[in-house]
Amino acid sequence: MSPEKRSRVEYSPPGNERINTVIEPLLTDLYQITMAYAYWKSGKHNTIATFDLFFRKNPFRGEFTVFAGLLDCIDFLKRFNIKDSDIEYLKTLMPHCEDAFFSFLKVLKPSDIVIESLSEGSVCFPRIPLMTVTGPLIMVQLLETIFLNLINYASLVATNAARFRIAAGRRMKLYEFGLRRAQGPNGGLSASKYSYMGGFDGTSNVLAGKLFGIPVKGTHAHAFVSSYLNMKEIEGKTLLPNPGFKPEGDQDFLSLVSHRHTQVAELLKLMGTESSEGERAAFASYALAFPHEFLALIDTYDVCKSGILNFCAVALALNDLGYRAVGVRIDSGDLAYLSTLVKKVFEKIAARFSVPWFTDLQIVASNDINEETILSLNEQGHQITCLGIGTHLVTCQKQPALGCVFKLVEIDGMPRLKLSQDVEKVTMPGRKRGYRLYGIDGFSILDLLQTPEEEPPQAGVRVLCRHPFEESKRAYVVPHKVEELFDKVWGPGVCLETQSLETTRENAQESLKILRPDHKRSLNPTPYKVSVSDKLYQFIHKLWLENAPIGELS
């Protein structure tokens, strides 16, 4: 049994493992604990409160966001436990607090919490609650920081990955190569997990592959190539023909490499002496180790004069023994130009040596690629089949934070409103129901928030949709289909079932299809409308007037 087949039999990836056990109740801000004590001290801790978790603006100057991190929040709730060591540490931070408070914390559980949420992987928009959390005030307050931590970055990197996927198109393979540039090990694992959800095809992160079942890809670095000086370093190394294949003539792999090198140099009208012998030795060495998976990094010295020549020589030698190479990777230079040149060489090789599969070899490009780079490559024309993307994906360099907030909207049955001179920061009070209205073309028209007591919108029935704060912005919509946005995912007798990463990935890809192309385009996307019903609009503005201070002029 081959090592490849043996590993597949012995290891079954779990698919959606917890990233780190450091996610525990004390992973929070101190002010959450101080507020908890003040609530407890005043007897307000069991007051029932409702908070909305939402964001105010889509990231990356776009018009959509991919919601991620919900399952991590549910996993945290399942394991919520304030340990004895946590209590002892809190006592050192807050020595003036009564012992009875710490006894209360020790037995605190989220059993009375109720959470309604969008589904993991859904496209979402500003002001629409991603999660609505209801329960005893002290317990809900203690969830704020960790929920924001788990959702902000996960949603940001999933959205970033989705934008890369849209820019690259469906045929291009995308691989996340960002572990070494990520913000620590947890950031690296989260980036691998949620970039896969957002539409990437794999990762270089081995631990992410083990934990989440993500396809793992990788070959070698420039150091591997430059560590070889000449072919003498691998003299005497042999490669048996692929089982079932009967080679013709010489079966010595290194002799075949030398022979094919001379032939390819003549075909490409290159001076064979200009190509690096050390590079050729490195490629041959790698092919000896991985004859079924030979993909070489060809820009260590010179792609045109050395890298492509040495690769083709080794790939043809492998072919002589019944193996097929995978392709090349280019990590520097003019990627559009070099990929086109490499493709032409592959076509020449295919024609000259009767190896038609050579035209299908992969051309992988890396080198600090961002969304704009992909769009530029598309405009120039290129022959790249795969992209390896690191820094700009995992660090979300274009916008490093999403900015989700957790705001009180109701307490003890009374709606609460946060006012601000910045209208964008005014919250929408009270509990709400959310709906997505679809047109006859299958695309979403807008998202609509209503009060809980209103009748849901119906397909074929006209509904008035209003901007939450601008009086003149309103429109009638006759939806072809109506979809309710929020499901109960946690509460007494309710716990969202664990879903595989593949399931949430499929959900994300399907959810993105409901948006029109002009909403998803990179440059000047059409704004997506988030509206409120007329009743909710009137309710918001009535409460606004009641709470806004009245000025006095003299």
Side-chain angles (χ1 to χ4, degrees):
M1 182 182 290
S2 71
E4 181 182 10
K5 290 182 179 178
R6 183 165 58 248
S7 66
R8 287 178 180 172
V9 170
E10 293 176 355
Y11 179 69
S12 177
N16 204 356
E17 289 291 293
R18 175 178 357 134
I19 288 178
N20 200 313
T21 54
V22 78
I23 301 172
E24 57 181 62
L26 290 201
L27 186 62
T28 190
D29 297 300
L30 178 60
Y31 83 157
Q32 307 289 11
I33 310 293
T34 60
M35 284 193 293
Y37 180 66
Y39 289 145
W40 179 86
K41 185 74 173 173
S42 65
K44 197 179 179 68
H45 52 289
N46 283 326
T47 301
I48 300 302
T50 297
F51 285 72
D52 283 348
L53 190 154
F54 63 96
F55 59 90
R56 298 186 177 104
K57 191 174 183 179
N58 286 303
F60 314 118
R61 299 180 181 178
E63 282 298 327
F64 72 89
T65 300
V66 176
F67 174 45
L70 171 63
L71 291 171
D72 293 332
C73 293
I74 299 299
D75 183 62
F76 170 67
L77 291 174
K78 290 177 183 176
R79 298 180 297 103
F80 186 94
N81 180 46
I82 299 179
K83 304 186 295 292
D84 290 342
S85 60
D86 298 335
I87 296 296
E88 293 307 311
Y89 176 68
L90 289 176
K91 286 180 177 179
T92 68
L93 292 180
M94 305 164 67
H96 61 285
C97 295
E98 299 176 33
D99 285 341
F101 169 67
F102 296 112
S103 298
F104 171 81
L105 285 184
K106 189 174 179 181
V107 297
L108 190 63
K109 298 293 180 184
S111 53
D112 294 326
I113 293 292
V114 174
I115 298 177
E116 292 186 325
S117 173
L118 300 176
S119 59
E120 180 111 30
S122 297
V123 289
C124 52
F125 307 97
R127 298 193 174 280
I128 295 293
L130 308 180
M131 301 171 65
T132 296
V133 186
T134 300
L137 178 57
I138 193 170
M139 186 68 245
V140 179
Q141 193 73 70
L142 289 174
L143 297 177
E144 175 181 9
T145 298
I146 188 65
F147 276 16
L148 289 173
N149 178 271
L150 291 172
I151 288 172
N152 262 311
Y153 179 68
S155 299
L156 187 72
V157 76
T159 306
N160 201 23
R163 291 177 63 88
F164 275 98
R165 166 53 68 198
I166 291 167
R170 300 309 310 177
R171 293 184 180 180
M172 179 83 73
K173 292 288 185 181
L174 296 178
Y175 296 107
E176 176 267 313
F177 287 175
L179 179 58
R180 64 187 64 191
R181 304 287 173 81
Q183 283 91 340
N186 288 337
L189 283 170
S190 293
S192 299
K193 178 179 180 179
Y194 291 110
S195 62
Y196 186 67
M197 177 191 287
F200 271 56
D201 297 290
T203 178
S204 64
N205 187 337
V206 177
L207 183 56
K210 177 188 174 186
L211 292 177
F212 310 127
I214 303 172
V216 179
K217 299 292 182 180
T219 52
H220 62 78
H222 293 108
F224 181 82
V225 177
S226 57
S227 70
Y228 287 83
L229 297 177
N230 53 57
M231 294 293 288
K232 292 181 181 179
E233 295 182 65
I234 54 174
E235 280 183 356
K237 303 299 181 183
T238 59
L239 177 64
L240 294 176
N242 200 7
F245 180 81
K246 295 182 179 180
E248 299 177 1
D250 191 355
Q251 296 185 27
D252 179 67
F253 179 63
L254 299 186
S255 296
L256 289 170
V257 170
S258 178
H259 173 63
R260 290 301 195 178
H261 181 266
T262 300
Q263 287 184 316
V264 175
E266 181 180 344
L267 173 67
L268 301 181
K269 295 181 171 55
L270 294 173
M271 293 291 292
T273 54
E274 289 189 57
S275 66
S276 167
E277 185 181 347
E279 181 181 59
R280 187 159 66 258
F283 290 176
S285 174
Y286 199 81
L288 285 165
F290 300 100
H292 293 283
E293 302 170 8
F294 177 54
L295 192 151
L297 180 61
I298 61 172
D299 71 321
T300 303
Y301 301 111
D302 188 295
V303 171
C304 304
K305 295 180 180 179
S306 182
I308 190 60
L309 170 55
N310 285 325
F311 169 79
C312 290
V314 174
L316 286 171
L318 282 174
N319 181 71
D320 292 334
L321 296 178
Y323 301 96
R324 286 191 180 183
V326 174
V328 300
R329 178 162 75 95
I330 307 169
D331 192 50
S332 61
D334 187 331
L335 298 179
Y337 167 75
L338 290 173
S339 69
T340 303
L341 180 145
V342 167
K343 182 69 172 180
K344 289 179 179 178
V345 170
F346 288 167
E347 290 171 347
K348 285 184 178 181
I349 296 291
R352 169 63 178 80
F353 298 104
S354 301
V355 280
W357 56 266
F358 230 84
T359 60
D360 298 324
L361 287 171
Q362 293 180 21
I363 302 175
V364 183
S366 45
N367 187 29
D368 211 26
I369 291 169
N370 58 27
E371 187 180 348
E372 287 70 25
T373 304
I374 298 175
L375 295 173
S376 176
L377 287 169
N378 292 341
E379 290 177 358
Q380 295 174 65
H382 64 84
Q383 295 295 330
I384 298 167
T385 59
C386 306
L387 287 172
I389 302 172
T391 305
H392 289 275
L393 173 66
V394 303
T395 66
C396 298
Q397 210 165 61
K398 194 173 180 180
Q399 182 181 323
L402 176 56
C404 283
V405 294
F406 195 77
K407 295 299 182 183
L408 178 69
V409 295
E410 184 178 281
I411 188 159
D412 210 11
M414 300 293 292
R416 307 308 297 162
L417 176 73
K418 177 193 177 295
L419 294 177
S420 173
Q421 291 183 341
D422 183 352
V423 174
E424 283 192 354
K425 292 194 173 184
V426 175
T427 59
M428 288 194 281
R431 303 190 194 194
K432 297 165 285 288
R433 303 304 305 163
Y435 304 91
R436 186 159 289 163
L437 309 187
Y438 290 83
I440 196 170
D441 56 5
F443 292 121
S444 178
I445 300 172
L446 55 79
D447 284 8
L448 177 69
L449 293 175
Q450 293 187 171
T451 62
E453 63 271 13
E454 290 184 80
E455 287 294 322
Q458 301 294 321
V461 179
R462 189 174 71 165
V463 58
L464 178 61
C465 302
R466 305 195 63 164
H467 188 283
F469 304 114
E470 296 186 35
E471 186 176 19
S472 62
K473 290 188 176 181
R474 53 188 179 167
Y476 284 111
V477 176
V478 180
H480 183 70
K481 184 181 80 169
V482 177
E483 176 184 63
E484 189 164 1
L485 291 176
F486 309 135
D487 291 314
K488 186 180 288 187
V489 297
W490 179 270
V494 177
C495 177
L496 180 66
E497 292 184 7
T498 299
Q499 298 172 337
S500 70
L501 183 56
E502 286 292 341
T503 298
T504 56
R505 183 176 189 263
E506 289 171 8
N507 186 41
Q509 303 316 303
E510 288 301 312
S511 188
L512 284 163
K513 292 178 182 177
I514 63 102
L515 293 179
R516 297 197 315 260
D518 56 303
H519 290 308
K520 294 185 288 188
R521 67 190 178 208
S522 179
L523 299 175
N524 300 317
T526 302
Y528 184 87
K529 294 179 177 62
V530 173
S531 303
V532 298
S533 66
D534 186 61
K535 185 171 183 178
L536 181 54
Y537 175 87
Q538 300 298 340
F539 173 68
I540 293 170
H541 286 262
K542 179 176 179 291
L543 200 62
W544 193 341
L545 291 175
E546 289 175 355
N547 284 271
I550 301 174
E552 184 172 327
L553 302 176
S554 59

